[in-house]
Each structure stands twice: as structure tokens, then as C-alpha cells.
Amino acid sequence: MRILFICSFLCISTLSLSAQVSIGFKGGVNLAKWTNIDNYVDVYNDILVDEFLVGVNVGIVTEVNLYQELYVQAEVNFTHKGHHPKQLVGTHIYNTYAHFDLYVLELAFLPKYKYSWDSFGVFAFAGPSVGYYINCTKTKFSSRNGEVNETGRNYLALDTDLFNRWEFSLYLGGGIFIPIKDSMEVFFDARYLVGLTDVNNEAILQAFHLRGEELAHRNRGIGLTLGALFDL
């Protein structure tokens, strides 16, 4: 986790030596889910369909002007991702399933293009991120005759359970910004998250003789954020 802060500090410090820099904050929501879940059929022929998990997304943002309309945006984010399936649908009266909530500290570097008019502007960005899972919660549910009840909750020991600790992702997005003063602007952005690495720990899956190709999941999601930037 220290590596994320060190890399962020070094990159931002190097870029800011000869460029205009703004710093600010943002907050919003994630609509997250896993791949390879929809219409997943278990051994009892019950169907599992994933719902969007609605989670928080907050962060610190640094924007560096490289040349004219070209920028790079560095972010340190705390995000909530995971997997919230719907009730199992099948032929059984009694079913069980679980929600997984992953809490991630994330560093993103996003090359950015901005174009402005007198009163507002637009921007687009795309770039990589690296995340570090700091916590994972598993909440168990049971369904009997259509009635759903929570049956237990526990924290998973990352690296020793079925989840990796690190994640590499790609962000694609854009938004609008409005200058408030000469040295301040507010912005709204929407972004799509593409997970590049599996959530599951493949070595652990193999140790349990589980088939990784069936249990491999990656994070996907949509983020909506509102924030502000201040010139230094």
C-alpha cells in the first residue's frame, strides 16, 4: 500500500516542476459487478444473475497541464467494488448465496484532453489504474419460499483466501467542467471501469482443485463523480 503513495508522489512532483498544476477532490458512486456471473448455472441447475452493487467512490485529484489542451490526471481513490447477486432462481425451495464487498485503495493515471468555451468545457480521458484490496466482506443469505434472510457475515483474509490483493484496471470516460473563479473549477465525470486481472487467486483455486476458467471474475463498473480543482 505504501508503494501507491510513493509512486503517486514521485510522478506528480516530477510533472509539476515545469507545468501548471491543480489539486482537488471528488466523490460519487460506483455501479459495480463481476464478469462471468450473469446466467451462471450451479451444480443444482439454479441460475445466478448479478445485480449492480452501489458503492462509494472518493478521492484526491491532481491535474497537470502538459501542453495546450493536453493534461494528465493522477488520482488516489477509495472505492467500493464487488458482487451482489440476485436471489437464486431454480427448482429448489431453499437456496443460499453470498454478497462480496471489496474495499480498494487505488492509484490512477489518466491522460486527458480538455476543450473549453467561455462558460464551460468538456474533457475525455483514458488510462490505467492499480488497486490494492484493503478489506473484503462476505455476507451470506438464505432464501426459503421467496423470503430472504441474512445468515452471517465475515471478513476474508486476503491473499490466503480466494482473492488476489492487487488489481490492474483501465478507465475510459469523460465529462464537463465549469470555471467558478480564475483559479477554481467544478467538474462532473462518468467513467467505465474495465478490470484487467482476475479477482480470484488462481493459485488457491488450483490448490482446491477448482476450475479457474469457470470461477475467473473481473471487476466491471460505471462511476459517476462530482469534484472541484484548485490551481496551485
PDB file of all heavy atoms in Angstrom, residues 185-205:
ATOM      1  N   GLU A 185     -12.360  25.337 -10.560  1.00  0.00           N
ATOM      2  CA  GLU A 185     -13.396  24.805 -11.430  1.00  0.00           C
ATOM      3  C   GLU A 185     -14.062  23.618 -10.758  1.00  0.00           C
ATOM      4  O   GLU A 185     -13.451  22.927  -9.943  1.00  0.00           O
ATOM      5  CB  GLU A 185     -12.832  24.382 -12.784  1.00  0.00           C
ATOM      6  CG  GLU A 185     -11.920  23.174 -12.745  1.00  0.00           C
ATOM      7  CD  GLU A 185     -11.372  22.787 -14.114  1.00  0.00           C
ATOM      8  OE1 GLU A 185     -10.931  23.692 -14.855  1.00  0.00           O
ATOM      9  OE2 GLU A 185     -11.373  21.583 -14.438  1.00  0.00           O
ATOM     10  N   VAL A 186     -15.323  23.397 -11.081  1.00  0.00           N
ATOM     11  CA  VAL A 186     -16.025  22.194 -10.642  1.00  0.00           C
ATOM     12  C   VAL A 186     -16.221  21.303 -11.860  1.00  0.00           C
ATOM     13  O   VAL A 186     -16.297  21.790 -13.000  1.00  0.00           O
ATOM     14  CB  VAL A 186     -17.374  22.521  -9.978  1.00  0.00           C
ATOM     15  CG1 VAL A 186     -17.163  23.320  -8.702  1.00  0.00           C
ATOM     16  CG2 VAL A 186     -18.297  23.253 -10.928  1.00  0.00           C
ATOM     17  N   PHE A 187     -16.292  20.004 -11.636  1.00  0.00           N
ATOM     18  CA  PHE A 187     -16.418  19.078 -12.755  1.00  0.00           C
ATOM     19  C   PHE A 187     -17.322  17.913 -12.386  1.00  0.00           C
ATOM     20  O   PHE A 187     -17.500  17.573 -11.217  1.00  0.00           O
ATOM     21  CB  PHE A 187     -15.040  18.563 -13.193  1.00  0.00           C
ATOM     22  CG  PHE A 187     -14.334  17.734 -12.153  1.00  0.00           C
ATOM     23  CD1 PHE A 187     -14.535  16.358 -12.083  1.00  0.00           C
ATOM     24  CD2 PHE A 187     -13.453  18.317 -11.254  1.00  0.00           C
ATOM     25  CE1 PHE A 187     -13.884  15.587 -11.128  1.00  0.00           C
ATOM     26  CE2 PHE A 187     -12.790  17.559 -10.298  1.00  0.00           C
ATOM     27  CZ  PHE A 187     -13.003  16.192 -10.237  1.00  0.00           C
ATOM     28  N   PHE A 188     -17.879  17.320 -13.422  1.00  0.00           N
ATOM     29  CA  PHE A 188     -18.648  16.080 -13.301  1.00  0.00           C
ATOM     30  C   PHE A 188     -18.127  15.116 -14.356  1.00  0.00           C
ATOM     31  O   PHE A 188     -17.948  15.497 -15.510  1.00  0.00           O
ATOM     32  CB  PHE A 188     -20.140  16.326 -13.535  1.00  0.00           C
ATOM     33  CG  PHE A 188     -20.936  15.055 -13.646  1.00  0.00           C
ATOM     34  CD1 PHE A 188     -21.334  14.359 -12.510  1.00  0.00           C
ATOM     35  CD2 PHE A 188     -21.265  14.535 -14.893  1.00  0.00           C
ATOM     36  CE1 PHE A 188     -22.051  13.181 -12.618  1.00  0.00           C
ATOM     37  CE2 PHE A 188     -21.990  13.353 -15.005  1.00  0.00           C
ATOM     38  CZ  PHE A 188     -22.384  12.678 -13.856  1.00  0.00           C
ATOM     39  N   ASP A 189     -17.851  13.874 -13.942  1.00  0.00           N
ATOM     40  CA  ASP A 189     -17.409  12.904 -14.941  1.00  0.00           C
ATOM     41  C   ASP A 189     -18.127  11.579 -14.770  1.00  0.00           C
ATOM     42  O   ASP A 189     -18.600  11.227 -13.680  1.00  0.00           O
ATOM     43  CB  ASP A 189     -15.882  12.738 -14.932  1.00  0.00           C
ATOM     44  CG  ASP A 189     -15.332  11.902 -13.789  1.00  0.00           C
ATOM     45  OD1 ASP A 189     -15.841  10.795 -13.550  1.00  0.00           O
ATOM     46  OD2 ASP A 189     -14.380  12.350 -13.136  1.00  0.00           O
ATOM     47  N   ALA A 190     -18.210  10.860 -15.870  1.00  0.00           N
ATOM     48  CA  ALA A 190     -18.731   9.500 -15.911  1.00  0.00           C
ATOM     49  C   ALA A 190     -17.645   8.633 -16.532  1.00  0.00           C
ATOM     50  O   ALA A 190     -17.015   9.029 -17.512  1.00  0.00           O
ATOM     51  CB  ALA A 190     -20.018   9.423 -16.726  1.00  0.00           C
ATOM     52  N   ARG A 191     -17.435   7.453 -15.950  1.00  0.00           N
ATOM     53  CA  ARG A 191     -16.347   6.595 -16.426  1.00  0.00           C
ATOM     54  C   ARG A 191     -16.759   5.135 -16.393  1.00  0.00           C
ATOM     55  O   ARG A 191     -17.617   4.728 -15.608  1.00  0.00           O
ATOM     56  CB  ARG A 191     -15.091   6.808 -15.592  1.00  0.00           C
ATOM     57  CG  ARG A 191     -15.282   6.516 -14.106  1.00  0.00           C
ATOM     58  CD  ARG A 191     -14.031   6.809 -13.304  1.00  0.00           C
ATOM     59  NE  ARG A 191     -13.673   8.218 -13.313  1.00  0.00           N
ATOM     60  CZ  ARG A 191     -12.536   8.689 -12.813  1.00  0.00           C
ATOM     61  NH1 ARG A 191     -11.645   7.864 -12.276  1.00  0.00           N
ATOM     62  NH2 ARG A 191     -12.290   9.979 -12.838  1.00  0.00           N
ATOM     63  N   TYR A 192     -16.115   4.377 -17.261  1.00  0.00           N
ATOM     64  CA  TYR A 192     -16.339   2.932 -17.320  1.00  0.00           C
ATOM     65  C   TYR A 192     -15.062   2.230 -16.881  1.00  0.00           C
ATOM     66  O   TYR A 192     -13.964   2.538 -17.377  1.00  0.00           O
ATOM     67  CB  TYR A 192     -16.716   2.506 -18.733  1.00  0.00           C
ATOM     68  CG  TYR A 192     -16.990   1.025 -18.868  1.00  0.00           C
ATOM     69  CD1 TYR A 192     -18.036   0.424 -18.174  1.00  0.00           C
ATOM     70  CD2 TYR A 192     -16.200   0.220 -19.681  1.00  0.00           C
ATOM     71  CE1 TYR A 192     -18.298  -0.926 -18.291  1.00  0.00           C
ATOM     72  CE2 TYR A 192     -16.455  -1.141 -19.810  1.00  0.00           C
ATOM     73  CZ  TYR A 192     -17.509  -1.707 -19.112  1.00  0.00           C
ATOM     74  OH  TYR A 192     -17.752  -3.052 -19.233  1.00  0.00           O
ATOM     75  N   LEU A 193     -15.185   1.309 -15.944  1.00  0.00           N
ATOM     76  CA  LEU A 193     -14.055   0.551 -15.421  1.00  0.00           C
ATOM     77  C   LEU A 193     -13.984  -0.811 -16.089  1.00  0.00           C
ATOM     78  O   LEU A 193     -14.976  -1.531 -16.148  1.00  0.00           O
ATOM     79  CB  LEU A 193     -14.195   0.370 -13.912  1.00  0.00           C
ATOM     80  CG  LEU A 193     -13.250  -0.648 -13.269  1.00  0.00           C
ATOM     81  CD1 LEU A 193     -11.825  -0.107 -13.231  1.00  0.00           C
ATOM     82  CD2 LEU A 193     -13.710  -1.028 -11.868  1.00  0.00           C
ATOM     83  N   VAL A 194     -12.805  -1.156 -16.585  1.00  0.00           N
ATOM     84  CA  VAL A 194     -12.550  -2.471 -17.168  1.00  0.00           C
ATOM     85  C   VAL A 194     -11.449  -3.137 -16.347  1.00  0.00           C
ATOM     86  O   VAL A 194     -10.289  -2.710 -16.390  1.00  0.00           O
ATOM     87  CB  VAL A 194     -12.109  -2.363 -18.644  1.00  0.00           C
ATOM     88  CG1 VAL A 194     -11.867  -3.749 -19.229  1.00  0.00           C
ATOM     89  CG2 VAL A 194     -13.142  -1.610 -19.459  1.00  0.00           C
ATOM     90  N   GLY A 195     -11.784  -4.159 -15.589  1.00  0.00           N
ATOM     91  CA  GLY A 195     -10.776  -4.901 -14.837  1.00  0.00           C
ATOM     92  C   GLY A 195      -9.940  -5.769 -15.756  1.00  0.00           C
ATOM     93  O   GLY A 195     -10.480  -6.489 -16.614  1.00  0.00           O
ATOM     94  N   LEU A 196      -8.619  -5.712 -15.610  1.00  0.00           N
ATOM     95  CA  LEU A 196      -7.712  -6.474 -16.469  1.00  0.00           C
ATOM     96  C   LEU A 196      -7.201  -7.742 -15.813  1.00  0.00           C
ATOM     97  O   LEU A 196      -6.662  -8.620 -16.492  1.00  0.00           O
ATOM     98  CB  LEU A 196      -6.519  -5.589 -16.874  1.00  0.00           C
ATOM     99  CG  LEU A 196      -6.861  -4.292 -17.600  1.00  0.00           C
ATOM    100  CD1 LEU A 196      -5.588  -3.499 -17.875  1.00  0.00           C
ATOM    101  CD2 LEU A 196      -7.624  -4.557 -18.888  1.00  0.00           C
ATOM    102  N   THR A 197      -7.332  -7.850 -14.502  1.00  0.00           N
ATOM    103  CA  THR A 197      -6.836  -9.018 -13.772  1.00  0.00           C
ATOM    104  C   THR A 197      -7.993  -9.677 -13.031  1.00  0.00           C
ATOM    105  O   THR A 197      -8.989  -9.040 -12.685  1.00  0.00           O
ATOM    106  CB  THR A 197      -5.740  -8.622 -12.770  1.00  0.00           C
ATOM    107  OG1 THR A 197      -6.216  -7.554 -11.930  1.00  0.00           O
ATOM    108  CG2 THR A 197      -4.490  -8.159 -13.496  1.00  0.00           C
ATOM    109  N   ASP A 198      -7.838 -10.974 -12.764  1.00  0.00           N
ATOM    110  CA  ASP A 198      -8.876 -11.732 -12.075  1.00  0.00           C
ATOM    111  C   ASP A 198      -8.961 -11.335 -10.606  1.00  0.00           C
ATOM    112  O   ASP A 198      -7.942 -11.100  -9.950  1.00  0.00           O
ATOM    113  CB  ASP A 198      -8.601 -13.238 -12.165  1.00  0.00           C
ATOM    114  CG  ASP A 198      -8.788 -13.769 -13.571  1.00  0.00           C
ATOM    115  OD1 ASP A 198      -9.456 -13.092 -14.366  1.00  0.00           O
ATOM    116  OD2 ASP A 198      -8.261 -14.860 -13.865  1.00  0.00           O
ATOM    117  N   VAL A 199     -10.191 -11.286 -10.113  1.00  0.00           N
ATOM    118  CA  VAL A 199     -10.402 -11.089  -8.684  1.00  0.00           C
ATOM    119  C   VAL A 199      -9.915 -12.306  -7.910  1.00  0.00           C
ATOM    120  O   VAL A 199      -9.338 -12.197  -6.831  1.00  0.00           O
ATOM    121  CB  VAL A 199     -11.891 -10.828  -8.405  1.00  0.00           C
ATOM    122  CG1 VAL A 199     -12.151 -10.740  -6.905  1.00  0.00           C
ATOM    123  CG2 VAL A 199     -12.353  -9.562  -9.094  1.00  0.00           C
ATOM    124  N   ASN A 200     -10.120 -13.494  -8.470  1.00  0.00           N
ATOM    125  CA  ASN A 200      -9.782 -14.733  -7.786  1.00  0.00           C
ATOM    126  C   ASN A 200      -8.279 -15.000  -7.766  1.00  0.00           C
ATOM    127  O   ASN A 200      -7.557 -14.640  -8.683  1.00  0.00           O
ATOM    128  CB  ASN A 200     -10.461 -15.922  -8.464  1.00  0.00           C
ATOM    129  CG  ASN A 200     -11.956 -15.776  -8.553  1.00  0.00           C
ATOM    130  OD1 ASN A 200     -12.485 -15.625  -9.634  1.00  0.00           O
ATOM    131  ND2 ASN A 200     -12.638 -15.803  -7.429  1.00  0.00           N
ATOM    132  N   ASN A 201      -7.834 -15.639  -6.715  1.00  0.00           N
ATOM    133  CA  ASN A 201      -6.457 -16.088  -6.586  1.00  0.00           C
ATOM    134  C   ASN A 201      -6.346 -17.454  -7.264  1.00  0.00           C
ATOM    135  O   ASN A 201      -6.781 -18.464  -6.720  1.00  0.00           O
ATOM    136  CB  ASN A 201      -6.076 -16.185  -5.105  1.00  0.00           C
ATOM    137  CG  ASN A 201      -4.610 -16.486  -4.901  1.00  0.00           C
ATOM    138  OD1 ASN A 201      -3.985 -17.191  -5.686  1.00  0.00           O
ATOM    139  ND2 ASN A 201      -4.050 -15.958  -3.834  1.00  0.00           N
ATOM    140  N   GLU A 202      -5.745 -17.473  -8.445  1.00  0.00           N
ATOM    141  CA  GLU A 202      -5.726 -18.700  -9.245  1.00  0.00           C
ATOM    142  C   GLU A 202      -4.935 -19.821  -8.568  1.00  0.00           C
ATOM    143  O   GLU A 202      -5.282 -20.988  -8.685  1.00  0.00           O
ATOM    144  CB  GLU A 202      -5.155 -18.407 -10.626  1.00  0.00           C
ATOM    145  CG  GLU A 202      -6.038 -17.486 -11.460  1.00  0.00           C
ATOM    146  CD  GLU A 202      -5.484 -17.267 -12.849  1.00  0.00           C
ATOM    147  OE1 GLU A 202      -4.457 -17.892 -13.166  1.00  0.00           O
ATOM    148  OE2 GLU A 202      -6.089 -16.484 -13.604  1.00  0.00           O
ATOM    149  N   ALA A 203      -3.883 -19.456  -7.848  1.00  0.00           N
ATOM    150  CA  ALA A 203      -3.088 -20.485  -7.158  1.00  0.00           C
ATOM    151  C   ALA A 203      -3.917 -21.189  -6.092  1.00  0.00           C
ATOM    152  O   ALA A 203      -3.838 -22.409  -5.922  1.00  0.00           O
ATOM    153  CB  ALA A 203      -1.844 -19.852  -6.541  1.00  0.00           C
ATOM    154  N   ILE A 204      -4.736 -20.416  -5.371  1.00  0.00           N
ATOM    155  CA  ILE A 204      -5.590 -21.008  -4.344  1.00  0.00           C
ATOM    156  C   ILE A 204      -6.655 -21.891  -4.981  1.00  0.00           C
ATOM    157  O   ILE A 204      -6.965 -22.984  -4.502  1.00  0.00           O
ATOM    158  CB  ILE A 204      -6.240 -19.912  -3.487  1.00  0.00           C
ATOM    159  CG1 ILE A 204      -5.169 -19.098  -2.758  1.00  0.00           C
ATOM    160  CG2 ILE A 204      -7.215 -20.512  -2.487  1.00  0.00           C
ATOM    161  CD1 ILE A 204      -4.398 -19.879  -1.727  1.00  0.00           C
ATOM    162  N   LEU A 205      -7.217 -21.435  -6.106  1.00  0.00           N
ATOM    163  CA  LEU A 205      -8.224 -22.233  -6.797  1.00  0.00           C
ATOM    164  C   LEU A 205      -7.654 -23.581  -7.231  1.00  0.00           C
ATOM    165  O   LEU A 205      -8.296 -24.616  -7.085  1.00  0.00           O
ATOM    166  CB  LEU A 205      -8.750 -21.471  -8.009  1.00  0.00           C
ATOM    167  CG  LEU A 205      -9.550 -20.182  -7.736  1.00  0.00           C
ATOM    168  CD1 LEU A 205      -9.949 -19.541  -9.066  1.00  0.00           C
ATOM    169  CD2 LEU A 205     -10.776 -20.453  -6.895  1.00  0.00           C
TER     170      LEU A 205
END
